[in-house]
Amino acid sequence: MDISNRVGVITGGASGIGRAVAVAMAKRGVAAVGLVDMNDAVGEVAEKLNAEFGRKFAVPFKGNTTDEAFRASVFDSLSSQFDRVSMCVPAAGITRDELAVRIDKATGKARIYPIEQFKLVVDVNLIAPIYWALEMIGRIAEDRAAKGLKRWTPAEHVQGSVVFVGSISSQGNRGQVSYASTKAGLRGAAATIMKEAMFHGVRCGVIHPGFTDTPMVRSMGLDYVDKNILPFTQLGRLIQPDEIADAICFMLANSSVSGELWVDAGWHAPA
Ligand SMILES: NC(=O)c1ccc[n+]([C@@H]2O[C@H](COP(=O)([O-])OP(=O)(O)OC[C@H]3O[C@@H](n4cnc5c(N)ncnc54)[C@H](O)[C@@H]3O)[C@@H](O)[C@H]2O)c1
């Protein structure tokens, strides 16, 4: 699939992997991209990208990805200014890491991972990305239905693609019971959407990045990275966001790719 001249939407676009995907898309000639983020910095990030590439390519949208009205307004705005959105990379994500069960030394009582915290991580990392993808697929399906088109055929060319951002933690990672559950959940969602959405001509896959040099990982502290991450990473370094972005663009563009791609620098979880 030629991704140039298409319109994309990236959530978590103000930072780390999302921002790097926007840069990679600009280099590949994508017509426009909606940069969605709850962080104020999203406006400045879009401005800088537009200045760097000398065209009005990145459009900032500040808001929470869990807000349904906001999500619809982003798609409305992009399709009215440019064209139908046909690439979706819902990368916004959070961590709320804590052991699933631990004994409080002072009281001897078990502390179980707080359920409200778990639900928040599920809302942001699992439900929201799925619904950003479904919003795009729904709009493509409606457009096709309005033209009297039924089951998609290969002669029509691929209509759109989704790449979910999973994680190596989906295989299980100590201290990440909520995060790992959501990232594993994306695997089931991607496999199901791939089977269903091809009716409308839309592909769906999931990338599993290893530890990548972004604010999310830096917030763990570089000492932690040296002691607990690099020894289990065959490459002996953090992955750069542009390496993940390159792999995401490959997944978006290469129509024969389906399923999951592990971009993990050879990481294996310690027991
Ligand atoms: N950095 C890594 O090592 C790594 C590894 C595997 C997977 N991932 C995944 O990659 C994605 C991007 O992570 P990153 O490392 O670039 O993190 P990051 O913290 O640098 O960027 C995440 C962005 O998402 C935004 N965001 C979070 N919740 C939001 C919400 N509800 N609404 C709108 N915006 C929201 C934040 O403001 C932030 O700008 C995440 O899904 C993360 O789980 C990261």
Side-chain angles (χ1 to χ4, degrees):
M1 181 174 109
D2 180 5
I3 68 171
S4 66
N5 298 319
R6 285 186 176 252
V7 178
V9 71
I10 302 169
T11 72
S15 179
I17 290 172
R19 187 188 183 289
V21 173
V23 171
M25 283 185 174
K27 288 182 179 162
R28 285 164 174 78
V30 166
V33 73
L35 279 190
V36 175
D37 208 294
M38 70 199 300
N39 191 315
D40 288 338
V42 69
E44 202 182 314
V45 169
E47 253 176 50
K48 279 192 183 155
L49 282 177
N50 291 337
E52 187 182 337
F53 289 96
R55 61 190 175 103
K56 190 178 175 293
F57 150 83
V59 186
F61 296 94
K62 184 179 176 300
N64 194 318
T65 54
T66 61
D67 177 338
E68 293 190 39
F70 168 64
R71 185 181 74 229
S73 73
V74 170
F75 280 84
D76 286 345
S77 169
L78 286 170
S79 54
S80 67
Q81 289 180 69
F82 303 96
D83 196 359
R84 188 171 81 183
V85 176
S86 61
M87 297 187 295
C88 181
V89 183
I94 54 171
T95 52
R96 293 291 184 273
D97 296 349
E98 226 177 291
L99 290 177
V101 176
R102 67 183 161 83
I103 292 291
D104 184 316
K105 280 185 189 143
T107 64
K109 298 277 182 211
R111 177 182 154 86
I112 294 175
Y113 190 91
I115 195 164
E116 288 312 319
Q117 196 163 290
F118 204 122
K119 286 179 177 171
L120 171 69
V121 178
V122 169
D123 277 345
V124 175
N125 288 9
L126 180 62
I127 298 178
I130 292 170
Y131 276 83
W132 281 77
L134 297 185
E135 182 88 39
M136 180 186 85
I137 296 162
R139 286 166 185 251
I140 290 174
E142 263 178 23
D143 271 11
R144 290 173 48 75
K147 289 178 191 148
L149 294 166
K150 293 197 171 73
R151 179 183 287 278
W152 171 85
T153 65
E156 293 176 64
H157 302 297
V158 172
Q159 305 289 296
S161 41
V162 177
V163 177
F164 287 129
V165 185
S167 167
I168 44 164
S169 300
S170 60
Q171 296 169 303
N173 197 24
R174 207 171 168 273
Q176 292 203 304
V177 68
S178 60
Y179 184 80
S181 302
T182 60
K183 296 303 186 178
L186 289 173
R187 305 176 70 175
T192 303
I193 292 171
M194 180 70 203
K195 287 182 172 63
E196 287 190 17
M198 221 50 237
F199 185 91
H200 311 291
V202 181
R203 299 164 48 241
C204 183
V206 54
I207 188 167
H208 296 286
F211 288 93
T212 306
D213 192 358
T214 71
M216 182 183 272
V217 161
R218 284 189 172 246
S219 69
M220 297 171 171
L222 290 180
D223 265 7
Y224 182 90
V225 170
D226 281 345
K227 282 193 196 121
N228 299 295
I229 294 174
L230 298 189
F232 303 102
T233 305
Q234 304 304 319
L235 246 62
R237 65 168 175 84
L238 292 177
I239 301 165
Q240 289 307 304
D242 64 343
E243 295 177 293
I244 302 296
D246 182 51
I248 289 175
C249 285
F250 158 72
M251 291 180 81
L252 288 168
N254 190 317
S255 299
S256 61
V257 175
S258 76
E260 304 180 30
L261 183 65
W262 298 82
V263 186
D264 59 9
W267 184 80
H268 294 98

